[in-house]
Amino acid sequence: MKYLGFAFLAGLVSALGFAPLGLGLATLAGFALLILLIESAPNLRSALARGWWFGVGQFVLGLNWIATAFTYQAAMPAWLGWVAVLLLSFYLAIYPAAAAGLAWRWGRRSRVTLTLSLAAAWIVTEWLRGTMFTGFAWNPVGVVLIDSPLVLPAPLIGTYALSGIVVLVSGLILPILLLRGWRFPLGIVLLAALSQVPAFWWQPADPAALAGQPAIRIVQPNIPQEDRWDPVKDELNFYKILRMTGAPDGRPRLIFWPETAIPYNLHEGDAPRQVARVIGPGDLLLTGGIEAAAPVDGAPAEYNSLYLLGPGARILGRYDKAHLVPYGEYLPMRPLLSAIGLSRLAPGAGDILAGPGPRTLDLPGFGRMAGQICYEIVFSGEVVDRANRPDFLFNPSNDAWFGAWGPPQHFAQGRLRALEEGIPVIRSTPTGISAIVDAHGRIVARLPQHEAGVIDGRLPPPLPPTLFARFGNMLSFAFALLLIAAAIAVRRKTR
């Protein structure tokens, strides 16, 4: 039983590497302990149990922000949020358990083969976590490397393969963690020093280097979540965004507003006229909004949409969110769950419908754009139409109900998408973090949480298509196969 407690503790420690703490060395230590626990497991059942409790520890701490979301739902008690975190963690922990079981089965003959097997299994099971039952890809372990030199292979092999690298490095540092006497603190100091090496040592992002690129303005109005869906405050919030956007000055600019920034119907009424006041002749505005859809089973339905607006607030294009948040934007098994008083966390009478998937919009004078609304950006390999590659990706989001941990975790995953695909990412959120991220994943400009402001900058250019942009997660699977081949080779050599 004590080993299960150690596994849970190792999982908790491994979650310290996720934002906002960013203690990547702790994540490596947590996985190193997991390797020891799997190695000492007497049978497959024990290895599975240890992997499961490791996963529970990692997800309970890493996903603690989900509990905060429930505090904005008056129909449900706040404590239910922690029940949701626990239940979700119990389910998600199945994937680390499977990885631990596979590693024990394939590699228990030696620590080297065990580490190689665990790295390969973690890649596959983490991809499954982001795919099964609509997927929950939040916090892939590889994201802890975002500010480490070890993130550099991301454009070649992708995020899931980075998670395998985390496991491999954990196995490499394990001998240091097992040192005794004066050697142990010396080894820890050495590891800590190495972990502080900046990832982008070759050249920091330089806004001045973007001279000549299209001008952009990102608006972050700092509207608290409790005010976002208050009909009494809709008009005040809307006019605050208009005021912060400012009047056209004759120079073309690309304007970015957050998710569902416009609470009104863009097809009629006074809203289009008000929006048109801030869009100059050469300007374009990208904003989130709600698009009405045909009723489903007699209940109202709608799309969570991203609009491209030109002069006169004319709608030039639209993208509908495809990866929806279960319970957040739609209620699974609605007839059953609604009967016991549950509703989706985002206000609305019916469910939000899913759009068709990644789409590239042409922006006259500004290039081509792909939209990924809020949570969608966490899905590695699923954010762009590969047949029509965009020049940049816009991620309008509402992180206001994600607590203190959710927004920086969300932002870190957005940076990984930029690095993988070789295209810039622009974020606009009501309360932060809004930012410009270049095609190397470097932060050009950002606004912190809970601060109203605008970012006036230039749109970074894209890079040529990366290897990952061409082949996607096939490369992560190829890396996993390479690790399995290495494990087999080591196993044969040690017989």
Side-chain angles (χ1 to χ4, degrees):
M1 198 67 178
K2 69 177 182 179
Y3 290 104
L4 301 184
F6 285 141
F8 179 75
L9 178 62
L12 289 175
V13 170
S14 73
L16 298 178
F18 298 126
L21 301 181
L23 302 176
L25 185 57
T27 299
L28 297 178
F31 272 91
L33 180 54
L34 176 63
I35 291 170
L36 284 179
L37 289 166
I38 298 172
E39 183 181 53
S40 63
N43 51 50
L44 177 60
R45 182 177 178 179
S46 179
L48 289 168
R50 295 176 188 191
W52 189 81
W53 278 107
F54 176 89
V56 170
Q58 184 179 97
F59 293 122
V60 162
L61 183 57
L63 302 178
N64 70 78
W65 55 269
I66 292 177
T68 307
F70 279 73
T71 64
Y72 296 103
Q73 173 56 264
M76 289 176 275
W79 57 263
L80 194 59
W82 281 107
V83 174
V85 171
L86 282 172
L87 292 177
L88 180 61
S89 298
F90 290 162
Y91 159 66
L92 295 176
I94 292 172
Y95 298 99
L102 290 169
W104 186 88
R105 175 67 74 185
W106 293 341
R108 65 182 184 273
R109 294 181 183 275
S110 75
R111 186 173 295 168
V112 174
T113 56
L114 178 62
T115 301
L116 291 167
S117 300
L118 181 61
W122 199 275
I123 291 170
V124 175
T125 56
E126 197 169 74
W127 175 83
L128 287 172
R129 171 164 71 88
T131 306
M132 299 287 287
F133 310 114
T134 77
F136 188 78
W138 196 276
N139 275 354
V141 171
V143 78
V144 305
L145 302 178
I146 189 63
D147 287 315
S148 157
L150 294 175
V151 80
L152 298 180
L156 303 177
I157 54 178
T159 293
Y160 296 121
L162 286 184
S163 298
I165 289 177
V166 170
V167 177
L168 291 177
V169 175
S170 298
L172 288 174
I173 72 167
L174 184 52
I176 296 176
L177 299 178
L178 295 177
L179 291 173
R180 296 184 179 184
W182 60 270
R183 296 180 181 85
F184 176 76
L186 182 63
I188 294 299
V189 169
L190 177 61
L191 287 175
L194 290 175
S195 70
Q196 296 305 308
V197 176
F200 305 114
W201 50 270
W202 65 88
Q203 181 66 52
D206 181 10
L210 302 178
Q213 288 293 110
I216 64 175
R217 168 165 281 201
I218 302 171
V219 178
Q220 180 173 296
N222 194 32
I223 299 172
Q225 182 64 18
E226 56 269 22
D227 294 345
R228 289 271 295 156
W229 302 103
D230 185 344
V232 176
K233 297 182 179 179
D234 276 349
E235 186 173 354
L236 289 175
N237 294 336
F238 183 48
Y239 278 98
K240 182 178 183 180
I241 294 174
L242 290 172
R243 186 174 63 254
M244 293 179 68
T245 303
D249 60 6
R251 293 174 296 178
R253 60 180 181 165
L254 187 56
I255 306 163
F256 298 91
W257 286 0
E259 181 184 12
T260 60
I262 299 180
Y264 307 113
N265 189 334
L266 269 173
H267 299 279
E268 59 187 27
D270 190 51
R273 184 179 65 84
Q274 297 295 337
V275 174
R277 292 165 46 198
V278 300
I279 304 177
D283 296 345
L284 292 177
L285 169 64
L286 290 160
T287 179
I290 297 297
E291 178 77 12
V296 177
D297 296 329
E302 54 198 11
Y303 292 103
N304 186 353
S305 299
L306 168 61
Y307 294 95
L308 169 62
L309 304 179
R314 186 163 58 95
I315 299 175
L316 303 178
R318 193 183 94 219
Y319 166 76
D320 298 324
K321 186 175 182 180
H323 250 301
L324 303 179
V325 183
Y327 302 98
E329 293 174 307
Y330 71 94
L331 191 64
M333 302 177 293
R334 175 171 283 278
L336 173 64
L337 297 181
S338 61
I340 61 175
L342 293 181
S343 63
R344 63 181 174 96
L345 295 176
D351 285 335
I352 292 177
L353 304 182
R359 181 187 177 195
T360 300
L361 298 177
D362 288 320
L363 280 56
F366 296 95
R368 296 178 298 175
M369 178 216 71
Q372 289 288 292
I373 300 174
C374 198
Y375 163 76
E376 289 188 296
I377 203 169
V378 307
F379 291 89
S380 173
E382 300 180 33
V383 296
V384 300
D385 177 3
R386 300 197 183 281
N388 190 12
R389 177 177 165 83
D391 298 312
F392 72 97
L393 193 152
F394 177 38
N395 179 222
S397 190
N398 176 19
D399 294 351
W401 57 347
F402 286 5
W405 286 45
Q409 289 177 4
H410 200 184
F411 180 50
Q413 291 170 89
R415 290 175 61 194
L416 270 183
R417 298 296 84 77
L419 189 58
E420 281 179 332
E421 300 288 348
I423 58 175
V425 170
I426 308 297
R427 298 190 85 237
S428 177
T429 73
T431 58
I433 304 168
S434 300
I436 302 172
V437 178
D438 74 8
H440 296 286
R442 301 175 298 194
I443 302 169
V444 177
R446 66 183 288 177
L447 286 169
Q449 289 178 260
H450 312 302
E451 182 179 305
V454 298
I455 297 176
D456 286 316
R458 299 283 175 173
L459 183 65
L463 296 173
T466 64
L467 198 63
F468 183 85
R470 295 180 184 275
F471 299 103
N473 284 317
M474 290 176 55
L475 297 169
S476 290
F477 287 116
F479 185 64
L481 288 174
L482 182 63
L483 293 173
I484 293 171
I488 292 172
V490 171
R491 184 173 176 176
R492 287 178 175 175
K493 187 175 181 179
T494 55
R495 278 181 176 174

